[in-house]
Structures are given as structure tokens and as C-alpha cells.
Amino acid sequence: MAILGNIIKGVINLKDKFSSEIIHTEAQEKVLKELLEKAKDTQFGKFYNFNDILNSDNISSTYSKMIPYFDYNKINKEWWYKLHDGEENITWPGNPSYFALSSGTTGKSSKRIPVTDDMIDAIRQSGIKQVFSLSNFNLPADFFEKEIMMLGSSIDLKERNNHLEGEISGISASNIPFWFKGYYKPGEEIAKIDDWDERVNHIAKNAKNWYIGALSGIPAWIELMLQKVIEHHNLENIHEIWPNLQVYTSGGVAFGPYEKSFNSLMGKPVTVIDTYLASEGYIATQVRPETDAMQLNTDSGIYFEFVPFNPDYINEEGSLKNEAPSLGLKDVELNQDYILIISTVSGAWRYLIGDTIEFTDVEKAEIKITGRTKFFLNTVGSQLSVNKMDDAMKHLEEKFKTKIPEYTICAKRLEDGEFYHCWYLGSEIKNSNEEEIANELDSFLKEANKNYKVARSKALKGVKVSVISPDKFYNWSERNKKKGGQVKMERVMKEDKFIDWENFVNKS
């Protein structure tokens, strides 16, 4: 009998029973006020008169009028650079203990995003919320006695100018509570290995010694780790070595494109729980099994705003135009794409995180990620978002009985001077007819998106498809020093980056 598991499950159920339902709009008003109060004496708070905002009749409205939008480049150029010069109290009191390194999807050099002690506490609180929400998933008591494999970047953080640097997954894993360390795998010694392939080799060698009940990490890298374990032990599926594996906590990117390839590694179904941990904070987590949408963490150090997604609001380099209107949680609607804006306990203010979302339940503050602002393809008016592209990949998987975990696209002008959508699909389609796939893809998108259909009748000449091994996508990430980390593969590339990509594919 799982005595400890029953105790833990009982505590979780009891906590859930006596917890009051969060009123998300009220929680957000409280968070904004707390953020402004704590940061009012910082350089940023004085410059933008936080005291005046706090004394106004409508704090949220005044806040959105008085503070401009920031993306990383703007806030780093104007404010965060001072932190690296040793100044304190810039956009948040004191100095951050950590900087999260994030090259995102297109950046050539790492961004350094402040991670304060207050943010570590906020991430921990959101993590506890996720644990307590497990009571909704009807998991057996013995699950709570099993170990959790957390596969992220190295926890061997680098010291620099009196702070530590690493990817957010490594920073988070290095701050797990002491009571959790007995459940945490692969353990600190292996997790400190910087080279991802070497770390995965150690995981494969030790896999038979662990009783894994849950996995957590980016889908692409979790899959490669599972493949390595299966190959090392000559298994049919991962459940042959980890028979108690029941939960996978996905994060970083939409799980949908990876679902088919992930399930092929399983011996039996597992519960998939989506999470949304970014370098800037723990944004949202799935809290109930009836939906794969995630609930915004509205009471844990992040204030959210939402800009209706409209290409006219976005500058060419991806930043927001100042005149773009923002909405609070109380004013959003269903079935509308929004650009996500956050203000945080790490001193990010009206910060463009780069993701687009839509609400599936406003009262419950539940969302789905629909894409990236930089992954929105609007060349010649096609207006394709990543969720439409993901839907197209699922259609092709069903049509051609295959798996397509990775893809990228570019609107490219070819030799005839006309624009084409050039797709690369990561798949093992046998004897693939790329022209047939292109026609099927084109037909699906015409039906799914009226703007695309109009573009195809005018300036968008055609569709071209190249089918390549998924390994080429992973090798591309490795070449860009992003293997195993918080990587978001470029779903949409600009022409200059696409030239580099095609050269890489043809050479490798």
C-alpha cells in the first residue's frame, strides 16, 4: 500500500477542498498595485511617476497610458544595461540574483533577463499551485511516491558580476525545495553536466535505477532523451523500463505538433499537462483535465495585458507600436488572438514577451498559445498564424500516415520574381511525393484561412515543400547552441535567415 502517496494525495485533496476560487480580475488588480508599490522608489518608478499612478482613480488605466511598451531590446538599452554596470534599484529594488539567458528563436546573442528573488518565489508559488491542481486529475496514490524526471538546461550556473547566469529551466531546477530533491531526477550531479548529449547518455545509463512517474521538459528534447533510453536498453517503448510513468508536463512550445511522435514512444497512455514557463516568468499552467488550456497565474507576481492581434500594430522588427491598444483581463473576449504583455516582480514593465494567445475561458483565465509575433507570416497578405500551421501539420500527419514534429516556412521570392511559401517538414515520410504534399497543404490552408485563400489568388504564386529528417532541425538548434534548452524552433524565417538554413540543410 502506498502509505506516503496516500498521505501526500490526501494533503493535496484537502488543500484543494478548502482553497477558495481565485477571482482573477481582482487578483490582477492586487498584483498591479503591489508591483507599483514595491518599485515606486526605483529609477524606473520615479521616472514614470508610479506614485501618481497609485494615487489615480483608475490605476490600471492610468498605468497603461503613462508607461510605454517595451520589448527586450528597448528595456535593455534604456534600463537593464545599468544592472550590468553594477547599479541597483533600476527597474526593481536591489539587484537580481540571476539572469536568465535566452536567445529565443532568432537572436544571435543571448538575452540576459533579470530573475529576482521575488521571481523565484513567484515561480515556486506557481509550481505549488500546479502540484495542488493534480487533485483534479484522479491520479493513483502510488504516483505521489514516484520520481520526476526534469529535463532542462544545466543547473551548473555561471557566475558573472556578482550574479549567476543560466537558462530559466536550470535556474528553476537549482532552486527546488529541499523536500523535493529526493524525487528529482536525474539528480544534481548529472543535471550539472553542461553538454546535453553527455547528460542524456548518463540518464540512459542510469535509467533502470529510477522509478519515474512523471516527465517535465520541452517536447523535442524529451523525445530525444526517451529515444536514447529506449535505444540504450534495446526496448520497444519507455514503459518497459519506467512502467509507472503516468504524467508528462510539457512546456515552452505547443505540444500538439509533437503528440503523435511522443505517443509512439509510449507503451500506454500518459496524462499530458501543459505549462507555460518563459524566461520572464511562470505564465500559466493547466489545472484541470477537461481542457488542454492553461490558467494564467494571476496571483503570482505577474500583471497581464492583452493587445488585440493586428499586423498594423506591429513594427517590422516585431516590436509594438505605441498606439496599439491594450486590454485588461476583465475586457478580453473569446476566440480572439492577443499579443501578451507582462509586468513582473523581476522589473519587466509592459513587456512584449513575443507570444500570442487566445482565451478559451475568460472567467477561469484559461488560454492557449497560438503563436509568436515573429512567427506570424503576413507576406503578401497571407496572414498565417502558428496555430493554423500546426493544424495543417496535423492534417498532413493524418493524410499521409506519418509524424511531423518539426517544420519551418519562409515566404520567399524565387527566380521568376514571384513569392512562394517554401516549407521544410521534419518527417520520415517514405517515398514522399513533395508536390502531392504541397498541394494537400495548400488546399487545407485555403479552406482554413480566407486571407490565405485571397493571397493565393493574387500575389502568392505557389507552395513548395521539402521533406527532411527531423534530426536536421535538432542539429540546427545544436549549431545555434540551443540544444536541450528553452528552445522555440523558428517556425517562420525571414529570407536572410532562410538562406542560412537552406545552406545548412544542403551541407549537413
Side-chain angles (χ1 to χ4, degrees), residues 307-311 313-314 336-339 356 372-373 376 385:
V307 175
F309 188 80
N310 183 328
Y313 296 155
I314 303 172
Q336 160 75 55
D337 278 357
Y338 292 103
I339 299 166
T356 60
R372 300 277 292 169
T373 53
F376 182 75
S385 60

Side-chain angles (χ1 to χ4, degrees), residues 270-470:
V270 300
T271 298
V272 178
I273 300 176
D274 271 320
T275 64
Y276 185 0
L277 175 64
S279 298
E280 294 84 358
Y282 196 165
I283 307 297
T285 188
Q286 182 183 344
V287 297
R288 57 195 184 103
E290 309 94 88
T291 176
D292 58 358
M294 298 172 288
Q295 186 175 86
L296 291 171
N297 292 320
T298 55
D299 59 348
S300 299
I302 303 177
Y303 176 70
F304 299 99
E305 294 175 85
F306 312 93
V307 175
F309 188 80
N310 183 328
D312 293 338
Y313 296 155
I314 303 172
N315 294 311
E316 188 174 345
E317 80 282 1
S319 63
L320 269 181
K321 295 179 179 178
N322 288 329
E323 61 269 24
S326 69
L327 303 175
L329 188 57
K330 60 183 175 60
D331 296 315
V332 297
E333 299 176 352
L334 297 176
N335 304 316
Q336 160 75 55
D337 278 357
Y338 292 103
I339 299 166
L340 187 61
I341 306 295
I342 62 173
S343 301
T344 78
V345 290
S346 275
W349 299 102
R350 304 202 77 210
Y351 183 95
L352 173 67
I353 198 170
D355 290 326
T356 60
I357 60 98
E358 70 171 339
F359 281 86
T360 59
D361 190 310
V362 174
E363 186 178 358
K364 289 184 170 65
E366 289 180 337
I367 64 161
K368 287 187 177 183
I369 302 171
T370 56
R372 300 277 292 169
T373 53
K374 290 184 179 179
F375 288 173
F376 182 75
L377 188 61
N378 195 34
T379 308
V380 298
S382 53
Q383 294 198 22
L384 276 184
S385 60
V386 168
N387 59 328
K388 285 288 188 290
M389 299 179 203
D390 287 348
D391 289 345
M393 294 305 103
K394 286 184 179 179
H395 174 76
L396 293 180
E397 284 183 330
E398 293 174 5
K399 175 73 177 179
F400 294 99
K401 305 293 188 295
T402 188
K403 296 171 287 191
I404 309 175
E406 299 290 354
Y407 68 87
T408 193
I409 177 178
C410 176
K412 182 179 177 183
R413 195 187 297 271
L414 298 185
E415 291 80 8
D416 59 4
E418 301 284 358
F419 273 106
Y420 292 78
H421 277 182
C422 298
W423 294 75
Y424 277 80
L425 310 184
S427 178
E428 305 295 351
I429 302 175
K430 304 299 182 185
N431 303 316
S432 59
N433 183 327
E434 292 174 343
E435 185 176 349
E436 181 185 359
I437 296 170
N439 289 336
E440 188 67 33
L441 176 59
D442 190 34
S443 296
F444 177 87
L445 290 174
K446 284 177 182 175
E447 290 294 321
N449 187 317
K450 63 181 180 181
N451 292 307
Y452 177 85
K453 186 175 183 179
V454 171
R456 280 290 287 114
S457 67
K458 295 180 179 179
L460 183 59
K461 183 71 172 178
V463 175
K464 295 185 178 295
V465 165
S466 299
V467 179
I468 61 175
S469 168

Side-chain angles (χ1 to χ4, degrees), residues 146-349:
K146 300 302 184 286
E147 296 160 338
I148 299 176
M149 171 67 69
M150 296 171 62
L151 187 66
S153 56
S154 170
I155 66 169
D156 187 20
L157 308 177
K158 308 305 179 187
E159 189 169 351
R160 172 175 169 151
N161 298 337
N162 298 318
H163 62 259
L164 296 172
E165 293 186 343
E167 291 194 17
I168 191 64
S169 57
I171 293 172
S172 299
S174 68
N175 280 278
I176 60 173
F178 72 92
W179 54 265
F180 183 70
K181 292 186 178 182
Y183 295 91
Y184 168 57
K185 291 292 178 276
E188 291 187 11
E189 185 177 345
I190 295 176
K192 283 184 176 179
I193 298 172
D194 191 51
D195 182 87
W196 191 84
D197 290 310
E198 183 183 349
R199 197 178 338 138
V200 169
N201 282 332
H202 277 79
I203 289 171
K205 291 175 184 176
N206 287 277
K208 63 181 181 297
N209 302 320
W210 298 330
Y211 301 93
I212 302 298
L215 302 171
S216 178
I218 301 287
W221 309 122
I222 285 286
E223 282 191 20
L224 288 180
M225 181 273 291
L226 294 175
Q227 289 169 3
K228 186 69 176 179
V229 173
I230 290 169
E231 176 188 329
H232 184 86
H233 295 278
N234 195 26
L235 309 173
E236 289 294 323
N237 60 71
I238 198 63
H239 277 106
E240 290 184 6
I241 196 167
W242 292 335
N244 300 300
L245 175 60
Q246 298 179 65
V247 172
Y248 168 48
T249 302
S250 178
V253 295
F255 178 67
Y258 301 93
E259 184 175 7
K260 192 168 185 177
S261 54
F262 177 86
N263 288 338
S264 70
L265 302 173
M266 301 293 117
K268 52 189 174 183
V270 300
T271 298
V272 178
I273 300 176
D274 271 320
T275 64
Y276 185 0
L277 175 64
S279 298
E280 294 84 358
Y282 196 165
I283 307 297
T285 188
Q286 182 183 344
V287 297
R288 57 195 184 103
E290 309 94 88
T291 176
D292 58 358
M294 298 172 288
Q295 186 175 86
L296 291 171
N297 292 320
T298 55
D299 59 348
S300 299
I302 303 177
Y303 176 70
F304 299 99
E305 294 175 85
F306 312 93
V307 175
F309 188 80
N310 183 328
D312 293 338
Y313 296 155
I314 303 172
N315 294 311
E316 188 174 345
E317 80 282 1
S319 63
L320 269 181
K321 295 179 179 178
N322 288 329
E323 61 269 24
S326 69
L327 303 175
L329 188 57
K330 60 183 175 60
D331 296 315
V332 297
E333 299 176 352
L334 297 176
N335 304 316
Q336 160 75 55
D337 278 357
Y338 292 103
I339 299 166
L340 187 61
I341 306 295
I342 62 173
S343 301
T344 78
V345 290
S346 275
W349 299 102

